[in-house]
Amino acid sequence: MKKILLPILCTLLCVGLFAQNEADTQSPIANSQSSDKYTFGDFFDALDLPTVLGAGITPNGIEGATFNSAMRLGWRHHKNYGTFVYITYDTHSNKYDSLTIQGSNIRSGEVWYNEIGMSVGYRFPLVKDIKAFYENPYFHPWDFYVSVQPGISIATVKNLELYHPTLNDAITGDITAGPTYEMKNVDHVVPTLRFSAGVEWFIFHNFAIFAEAAYTQHLMPTIIEQAAMDKGKIKSPSGPITLSVGLSLFFN
């Protein structure tokens, strides 16, 4: 997956350079700049609904590769440049092996991460003369962005417990001769800080695609990292590095 995502990012950059000559001659943006009064319609038009898919690795090596997906709700001061804010829900899973997890009696298995955060960032237009652009902004299809996102990561692992038959089991005959077990969740929450950078291309005025690289720093050890630290495999928490592609959809 990583080998696929990297050429996509390079291709987007090359196509962007080719598209600049035509895009630089476009007319100025017709948006809220032309009106002194900011309305609810302006706010609604600035909303962004990106969907993201990607793959990642953990540099500390205690977890396997992962595939991630995310949903975002964003607001942009200007569509293709300037400040933006995102609320993000991200989910991914990793395999772990030979670790004694606190609260779980399973040594090898899968950990699921649900991450929630709010990012603040800035988009830079990819134009030849950025000074002239800010003096007279126009719709340009390419931009480069960076963001930082504080949030939380909820790690969930499984615990195996002996199942105690109920009266309903006796009535329905679902009682086996040997012991049976059930899986229960063990959750652990840590604060995180995510750094990301990407390139975006507007195919249409209200539709764009983007490629993004990100690193998430765990500010406290996750349940997996604490088990690895107790075993001497790592010295401090880190987090995953991900490469993603996504779609941005606007209402206007």
Side-chain angles (χ1 to χ4, degrees):
M1 187 68 177
K2 183 178 179 182
K3 293 181 179 179
I4 296 175
L5 292 175
L6 287 176
I8 291 176
L9 180 58
C10 294
T11 302
L12 293 179
L13 287 171
C14 292
V15 176
L17 295 176
F18 178 79
Q20 281 183 357
N21 290 334
E22 181 179 355
D24 288 346
T25 61
Q26 294 185 13
S27 59
I29 297 175
N31 57 17
S32 58
Q33 292 177 345
S34 61
S35 175
D36 294 334
K37 186 177 180 180
Y38 193 81
T39 66
F40 177 77
D42 295 325
F43 174 79
F44 192 77
D45 291 341
L47 294 180
D48 179 17
L49 295 172
T51 56
V52 185
L53 293 173
I57 59 171
T58 52
N60 55 30
I62 62 172
E63 297 171 88
T66 182
F67 293 95
N68 66 290
S69 62
M71 294 292 296
R72 299 173 181 173
L73 173 62
W75 175 88
R76 305 187 184 192
H77 188 202
H78 302 291
K79 187 170 290 186
N80 61 343
Y81 74 98
T83 56
F84 64 88
V85 178
Y86 279 128
I87 298 174
T88 301
Y89 171 71
D90 187 292
T91 181
H92 63 277
S93 66
N94 297 75
K95 300 286 187 178
Y96 67 90
D97 184 51
S98 300
L99 291 174
T100 304
I101 309 298
Q102 183 179 6
S104 172
N105 52 18
I106 300 177
R107 288 176 52 83
S108 300
E110 187 172 19
V111 53
W112 281 90
Y113 291 96
N114 291 283
E115 299 178 345
I116 303 171
M118 175 175 286
S119 63
V120 178
Y122 193 89
R123 280 184 159 77
F124 301 89
L126 295 178
V127 294
K128 293 180 179 179
D129 190 339
I130 194 166
K131 181 179 179 181
F133 176 88
Y134 280 106
E135 290 176 350
N136 188 27
Y138 53 87
F139 185 79
H140 189 276
W142 286 85
D143 63 74
F144 170 78
Y145 65 89
V146 293
S147 68
V148 59
Q149 176 183 294
I152 60 170
S153 179
I154 307 170
T156 302
V157 296
K158 295 295 184 179
N159 182 45
L160 192 65
E161 296 183 5
L162 182 66
Y163 179 77
H164 299 284
T166 64
L167 178 60
N168 185 64
D169 294 329
I171 296 174
T172 58
D174 290 335
I175 299 178
T176 61
T180 57
Y181 301 88
E182 59 182 342
M183 305 285 285
K184 291 191 175 180
N185 290 342
V186 177
D187 298 324
H188 187 246
V189 183
V190 299
T192 61
L193 198 59
R194 177 185 173 96
F195 305 92
S196 60
V199 177
E200 182 179 52
W201 175 33
F202 277 87
I203 301 176
F204 305 107
H205 188 80
N206 61 350
F207 179 76
I209 62 176
F210 60 89
E212 179 182 288
Y215 170 70
T216 301
Q217 174 64 52
H218 298 148
L219 302 181
M220 294 176 59
T222 66
I223 194 169
I224 300 295
E225 290 171 327
Q226 187 60 59
M229 291 170 66
D230 294 341
K231 201 171 182 178
K233 288 189 173 184
I234 61 173
K235 294 182 179 180
S236 60
S238 56
I241 297 174
T242 58
L243 293 174
S244 307
V245 293
L247 306 175
S248 291
L249 180 64
F250 299 83
F251 294 100
N252 185 23

